């Protein structure tokens, strides 16, 4: 080991030793590679398993075995109000009031349910504004809603193109688009964090601009929930949706989340109704008239999947223990350390496509490979991505040429980041 290597190790170890949240890593199960912890940077795709998740799932299984149907009404963690066990924790993570949030369904199902109520196009206002290059499921959902209402996506689904060099969006471009299309806009749907670039957005300002133009505003916070200290209530957004399997560490296909601002708590907007959205006091009278529960709960359709919600309880316990402010501080340190090492040691190999300003990004850096091993562009990117996996360093790939590396503050370390940088140097041939 060279003197430089020793210095790097000492520095990373010192940074990790000074981390006030270092104990959180021990609360997770870290995948192994060749007998050591993997350097796992895929929290933006699937978060690691909290050790507490198993206990919560087994609690449900044991209750089912012993109490069967009575488990809905008796003992600890009753199933009838089970979704309420995660309500306050979710509200704290996304900056909402408890009645504004609910865990239910999947992200795209929730997006459709929200658009049933909040996308009410007219001949004068048929259009939806979204970002070009959005996650495909969002685009499919929005396009299908436009068609469902009898309008043409070619003219009424407006996809704003990025105006900055690395495929990111300036606020000025968003403002211009809302001003230009404002008289025709029924709805603005924007990401909290763009999935491919990792760019974060000023949700309050986007909501202000959209509302000023007469549009409804909703956010897809799939890559923002648990990543950024969101303030959904204060943003003024009409609604938001997100998933819990990324930074929220609740397992593959985890039950998703939904926010409806309190001003819509008792709305007469149309909705697709189901019995679990009916007011609790009279739900079991089995009446024919739907009386919605006030708040986000009123958009529920069916009784919640208890086994699916159980891991979320374990995750939220950790968020409450750490607090979003402290997690964000650590995230900025980790991602800043990653950026600094790339610019110092890998600037001729990797291009960072994520904004440099900390307030315009979360935990993720999106990287393009300039060249290496006689390769360039996508070929070089795939070569590096596959090499990293052989070294126990796991990021993820997004077509056509992006490697996403996301140091999650819950469980990643400065040592993990250094290991990534050294693996890239080994691939490059140093």
């Amino acid at each position: 080991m060279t003197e430089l290597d020793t210095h790097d190790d000492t520095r990373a170890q010192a940074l990790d030793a000074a981390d006030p949240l270092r104990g959180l890593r021990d609360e997770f199960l870290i995948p192994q590679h060749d007998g050591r912890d993997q350097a796992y940077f895929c929290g933006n795709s699937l978060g690691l398993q909290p050790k507490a998740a198993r206990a919560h799932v087994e609690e449900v299984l044991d209750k089912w075995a012993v109490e069967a149907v009575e488990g809905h009404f008796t003992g600890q963690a009753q199933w009838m109000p089970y979704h309420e066990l995660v309500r306050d924790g979710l509200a704290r993570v996304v900056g909402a009031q408890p009645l504004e949030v609910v865990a239910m369904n999947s992200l795209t199902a929730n997006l459709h349910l929200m658009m049933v109520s909040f996308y009410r196009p007219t001949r004068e206002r048929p259009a939806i504004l979204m970002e070009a290059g959005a996650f495909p499921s969002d685009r499919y959902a929005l396009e299908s809603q436009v068609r469902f209402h009898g309008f043409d996506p070619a003219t009424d689904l407006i996809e704003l193109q990025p105006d900055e060099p690395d495929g990111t969006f300036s606020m000025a471009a968003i403002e211009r688009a809302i001003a230009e299309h404002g008289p025709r806009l029924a709805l603005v749907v924007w990401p909290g964090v763009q999935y491919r670039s990792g760019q974060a957005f000023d949700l309050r300002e986007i909501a202000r601009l959209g509302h000023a133009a007469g549009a409804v505003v909703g956010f897809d916070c799939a890559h923002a929930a648990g990543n950024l200290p969101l303030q959904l209530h204060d943003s003024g957004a009409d609604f938001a949706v997100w998933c819990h399997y990324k930074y929220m560490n609740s397992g593959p296909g985890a039950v998703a989340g939904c926010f409806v601002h309190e001003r819509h708590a008792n709305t007469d907007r149309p909705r697709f109704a189901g019995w679990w959205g009916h007011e609790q006091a009279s739900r079991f009278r089995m009446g024919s008239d739907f009386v919605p529960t006030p708040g986000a709960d009123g958009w529920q359709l069916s009784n919640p999947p208890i086994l699916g919600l159980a891991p979320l309880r374990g995750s939220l316990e950790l968020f409450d223990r750490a607090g979003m402010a402290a997690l964000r501080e650590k995230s900025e340190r980790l991602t800043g350390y990653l950026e600094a090492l790339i610019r110092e040691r890998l600037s001729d190999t990797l291009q960072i496509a994520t904004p440099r300003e900390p307030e315009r990004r979360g935990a993720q850096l999106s990287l393009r490979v300039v060249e290496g091993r006689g390769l360039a562009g996508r070929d070089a990117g795939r070569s590096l991505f596959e090499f990293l996996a052989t070294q126990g360093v796991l990021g993820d790939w997004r077509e056509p040429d992006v490697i996403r590396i996301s140091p999650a503050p819950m469980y990643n370390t400065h040592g993990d980041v250094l290991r990534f940088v050294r693996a890239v140097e080994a691939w490059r041939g140093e």
Side-chain angles (χ1 to χ4, degrees):
M1 183 175 290
T2 68
E3 184 177 340
L4 178 60
D5 290 333
T6 302
H7 172 75
D8 289 338
D9 284 331
T10 301
R11 181 187 178 203
Q13 290 165 7
L15 290 169
D16 287 329
D19 173 19
L21 300 181
R22 60 187 178 278
L24 286 179
R25 181 179 173 92
D26 294 333
E27 302 294 336
F28 288 87
L29 296 168
I30 311 294
Q32 300 295 292
H33 179 86
D34 288 344
R36 64 184 295 205
D37 288 352
Q38 191 179 69
Y40 187 85
F41 294 107
C42 282
N44 60 340
S45 185
L46 179 66
L48 294 183
Q49 182 186 140
K51 292 177 180 177
R54 182 179 298 274
H56 286 292
V57 171
E58 289 181 346
E59 177 189 54
V60 175
L61 291 173
D62 290 344
K63 191 176 183 68
W64 180 19
V66 173
E67 301 178 31
V69 71
E70 293 299 312
H72 288 88
F73 316 104
T74 60
Q76 298 296 314
Q78 297 175 18
W79 300 334
M80 275 290 295
Y82 197 88
H83 71 281
E84 297 175 9
L85 296 175
V86 302
R87 176 185 291 154
D88 289 354
L90 281 183
R92 285 188 287 271
V93 168
V94 301
Q97 297 181 6
L99 105 159
E100 294 177 318
V101 297
V102 63
M104 64 180 188
N105 308 317
S106 62
L107 185 153
T108 306
N110 288 342
L111 181 56
H112 276 296
L113 289 175
M114 290 297 98
M115 285 193 287
V116 167
S117 295
F118 294 105
Y119 175 50
R120 308 301 302 165
T122 64
R123 188 167 301 278
E124 293 76 22
R125 281 187 178 270
I128 301 176
L129 176 68
M130 65 180 299
E131 93 271 22
F135 192 77
S137 192
D138 281 12
R139 193 190 187 285
Y140 302 155
L142 270 59
E143 179 180 6
S144 68
Q145 287 278 342
V146 170
R147 291 189 187 280
F148 177 81
H149 285 279
F151 295 99
D152 184 358
T155 56
D156 299 326
L157 184 59
I158 300 165
E159 298 178 85
L160 177 63
Q161 296 293 328
D163 64 317
E164 295 179 334
D166 292 318
T168 54
F169 300 84
S170 69
M171 182 55 73
I174 298 171
E175 183 172 5
R176 285 194 300 270
I178 292 174
E180 176 185 352
H181 300 287
R184 297 186 65 246
L185 283 182
L187 176 64
V188 176
V189 177
W190 205 261
V193 172
Q194 214 285 334
Y195 87 102
R196 182 182 283 112
S197 70
Q199 180 183 3
F201 297 94
D202 184 340
L203 303 190
R204 185 197 294 260
E205 180 63 7
I206 293 171
R208 186 191 70 79
L209 291 168
H211 289 154
V216 171
V217 180
F219 295 116
D220 177 349
C221 292
H223 287 266
N227 179 11
L228 298 175
L230 297 173
Q231 297 296 329
L232 289 181
H233 174 82
D234 290 345
S235 77
D238 295 285
F239 69 87
V241 295
W242 62 90
C243 51
H244 289 129
Y245 48 78
K246 301 181 189 299
Y247 296 101
M248 296 295 293
N249 309 311
S250 298
V255 180
C258 189
F259 163 90
V260 180
H261 198 278
E262 69 166 342
R263 66 177 172 273
H264 303 299
N266 294 294
T267 184
D268 59 359
R269 287 174 175 269
R271 72 181 82 196
F272 284 168
W275 82 306
W276 219 256
H278 187 95
E279 65 172 4
Q280 186 174 349
S282 61
R283 184 181 298 156
F284 279 87
R285 295 176 190 169
M286 306 301 185
S288 59
D289 294 329
F290 177 71
V291 181
T293 300
D297 275 9
W299 273 266
Q300 294 179 103
L301 299 181
S302 303
N303 51 313
I306 307 303
L307 285 165
L309 280 175
L312 181 56
R313 292 179 62 198
S315 175
L316 287 172
E317 289 165 2
L318 297 177
F319 276 94
D320 275 341
R321 174 174 150 186
M324 281 305 303
L327 286 167
R328 176 59 173 165
E329 287 178 10
K330 179 178 176 181
S331 179
E332 289 186 358
R333 290 195 301 271
L334 273 178
T335 306
Y337 179 60
L338 172 62
E339 178 192 13
L341 287 180
I342 290 173
R343 296 194 187 281
E344 290 169 10
R345 297 165 58 163
L346 299 170
S347 60
D348 59 345
T349 304
L350 298 179
Q351 172 196 355
I352 301 174
T354 305
R356 189 163 192 168
E357 305 91 335
E359 66 274 13
R360 297 183 70 206
R361 68 187 185 198
Q364 170 184 318
L365 290 188
S366 296
L367 308 173
R368 292 188 175 94
V369 182
V370 179
E371 62 179 356
R373 294 194 172 185
L375 302 170
R378 186 184 185 280
D379 291 341
R382 286 299 306 180
S383 174
L384 173 58
F385 178 72
E386 291 165 7
F387 176 83
L388 290 172
T390 69
Q391 305 301 302
V393 178
L394 196 68
D396 72 352
W397 176 264
R398 285 294 176 264
E399 293 291 352
D401 59 355
V402 169
I403 297 174
R404 302 188 306 178
I405 299 295
S406 298
M410 281 275 190
Y411 46 76
N412 280 125
T413 65
H414 295 83
D416 290 336
V417 171
L418 180 58
R419 184 172 165 189
F420 162 77
V421 170
R422 285 175 169 165
V424 177
E425 289 174 337
W427 171 82
R428 192 173 60 180
E430 293 186 358

